[in-house]
Amino acid sequence: MKKIFALILSLVLALALVGCAGEPAAENTAGADATQAPAESAGTESPAGEESAAPAEGEAYKVAIVLGVGGLGDESFNDSMYDGCQLAMAEDPSITVQVIEPTEVAEFEGHYMELARTGEYDLIIGSGFDGVEAVTKVSGLFPEQQFMFVDGDCGDLPNVASFTFRDQEKAFLLGYLAAQTSETGKIGVVGGMDIPSINMFVAGYEAGAAYAGNGTTVERKYVGAWNDTSTGKELALALYDSGCDIVYQAAGGSGLGVFAAAAEKDLLAIGSDTNQCLIDPDHVFASGIRTLNYIIRDGILSGKAGTLEPGSHSVGLAENGVTYTCEGSNVAVPQEVIDSVEAVKQEIIDGKLTVPSTLDDVASFIETYCNK
């Protein structure tokens, strides 16, 4: 009987082992579920690649980032956001990032909702004034989900850290620089849309030109989209034909058309968000800079460290959140002009100049600071 019992027990154990071998491991099941996330994933190699593998050491930290309409390749806002993700992943290989590229504003809420519903992501990052309503709604439905938002103020939500840029300050420096560089006394600006966040650029630019004190005038036009390079070029050509010899682009991907127009007319242009002097060094002689990539990088690293503070954060010249550059351009700018721009920059940092953030405030700025 003992031998028979032992034989039966051995047979039962063998069958159990075969059954276990046929079951998928729990870790692999979770991995399969992860591939069902609602967008393309990105690892450290390429925005269109597979999500990077889990690191050999360090606790994995998963991030999803919803870019602005227009997606990667704008050589401006969206590319800068993704660069920040790459910087974070390079600093901490346990971080993985999934990139979502909406094609229209109406998609934002759905993306945020789907990402939050999975419960997979430690941090979800969004951006832009047109996404504030969506992230505000979704963050309320998922109070345990941590969000970071850039270029839009989400107020005092307990699970959203939002960052806005005082873009009017860097645009002021660019207007001041352009007014001193222009030979025609007329400069232009092409905005993406006629909205407060873009008119912040326009207001700063116009105020800066006025502050130069040489009578330079500014003409403005709006594309109505962030990814329409053809219209961007047409509007810039119209500005150049009207007598502007410098045009500032504040239009995202549409602004690449401004550079095409500058090259066609062999005149000058000014870039935005990143160092766009490098796109066409012979015609782009200056560029506004947002340290958006570093804000994103620091936000991700702080999120993993548990030190990302919710609420509204504003960054400008004093916080090194915005600045300008002429680096990489082949257009020579006299040193005395650069020195004067640097002096004005310090006046803003020191609080001696308050740059207007709306078009309605430009006239009162001119009355206060220029008509003396």
Side-chain angles (χ1 to χ4, degrees):
M1 288 296 294
K2 290 181 178 179
K3 290 181 179 181
I4 292 172
F5 179 79
L7 181 60
I8 293 171
L9 181 60
S10 298
L11 182 60
V12 171
L13 289 173
L15 289 172
L17 288 172
V18 170
C20 289
E23 290 291 330
E27 183 178 354
N28 291 337
T29 301
D33 290 342
T35 63
Q36 303 303 312
E40 280 189 63
S41 58
T44 57
E45 294 291 326
S46 166
E50 294 297 322
E51 188 172 329
S52 54
E57 59 183 26
E59 184 178 352
Y61 189 76
K62 297 187 69 174
V63 177
I65 186 165
V66 181
L67 299 179
V69 174
L72 294 170
D74 64 356
E75 300 187 69
S76 185
F77 184 84
N78 287 319
D79 285 356
S80 185
M81 287 185 70
Y82 184 67
D83 182 56
C85 295
Q86 291 180 304
L87 291 172
M89 289 187 285
E91 189 159 332
D92 186 341
S94 71
I95 294 170
T96 59
V97 178
Q98 180 163 317
V99 178
I100 294 90
E101 299 182 67
T103 57
E104 56 185 50
V105 173
E107 297 176 15
F108 284 149
E109 183 177 325
H111 283 308
Y112 293 134
M113 188 75 73
E114 233 5 77
L115 291 167
R117 186 180 289 126
T118 67
E120 294 179 19
Y121 299 98
D122 299 289
L123 180 65
I124 298 173
I125 303 175
S127 66
F129 77 98
D130 43 12
V132 170
E133 183 178 350
V135 81
T136 298
K137 178 179 178 180
V138 176
S139 65
L141 296 173
F142 297 90
E144 300 303 316
Q145 173 67 60
Q146 188 173 41
F147 291 85
M148 177 181 177
F149 201 83
V150 294
D151 198 28
D153 188 356
C154 298
D156 296 325
L157 299 176
N159 57 334
V160 183
S162 60
F163 295 81
T164 55
F165 298 86
R166 297 195 296 278
D167 290 304
Q168 70 271 22
E169 294 181 353
K170 74 172 189 291
F172 185 94
L173 300 181
L174 295 170
Y176 184 80
L177 172 62
Q180 294 186 87
T181 306
S182 174
E183 296 180 357
T184 65
K186 186 176 182 181
I187 59 178
V189 55
V190 173
M193 293 185 179
D194 186 357
I195 54 176
S197 60
I198 291 301
N199 284 330
M200 185 181 295
F201 287 78
V202 179
Y205 188 67
E206 292 185 358
Y211 195 66
N214 59 9
T216 299
T217 59
V218 180
E219 186 174 347
R220 66 178 95 114
K221 291 186 180 294
Y222 300 91
V223 178
W226 307 113
N227 55 356
D228 186 351
T229 55
S230 296
T231 301
K233 180 180 179 181
E234 290 174 9
L235 296 178
L237 287 172
L239 289 172
Y240 289 127
D241 288 341
S242 73
C244 299
D245 59 347
I246 298 172
V247 176
Y248 174 34
Q249 82 87 1
S254 300
L256 297 176
V258 174
F259 303 150
E264 185 173 311
K265 292 292 186 179
D266 196 24
L267 292 169
L268 298 180
I270 298 175
S272 287
D273 291 339
T274 62
N275 184 3
Q276 295 189 315
C277 297
L278 306 176
I279 295 175
D280 184 353
D282 293 328
H283 298 98
V284 183
F285 82 104
S287 190
I289 298 288
R290 276 177 169 178
T291 58
L292 179 59
N293 52 346
Y294 296 113
I295 297 293
I296 294 289
R297 178 202 63 184
D298 293 346
I300 293 173
L301 295 174
S302 296
K304 183 176 181 187
T307 57
L308 181 61
E309 296 183 6
S312 301
H313 308 271
S314 173
V315 292
L317 291 174
E319 298 82 11
N320 294 315
V322 299
T323 187
Y324 79 102
T325 187
C326 296
E327 185 178 352
S329 176
N330 294 332
V331 179
V333 179
Q335 186 59 48
E336 58 267 26
V337 172
I338 295 296
D339 290 343
S340 68
V341 175
E342 287 296 310
V344 170
K345 178 180 178 181
Q346 194 59 49
E347 288 183 48
I348 297 171
I349 292 173
D350 293 342
K352 296 177 181 178
L353 275 178
T354 301
V355 180
S357 60
T358 70
L359 293 175
D360 290 340
D361 292 335
V362 173
S364 60
F365 172 88
I366 293 173
E367 184 63 31
T368 301
Y369 294 102
C370 305
N371 296 338
K372 294 182 178 180

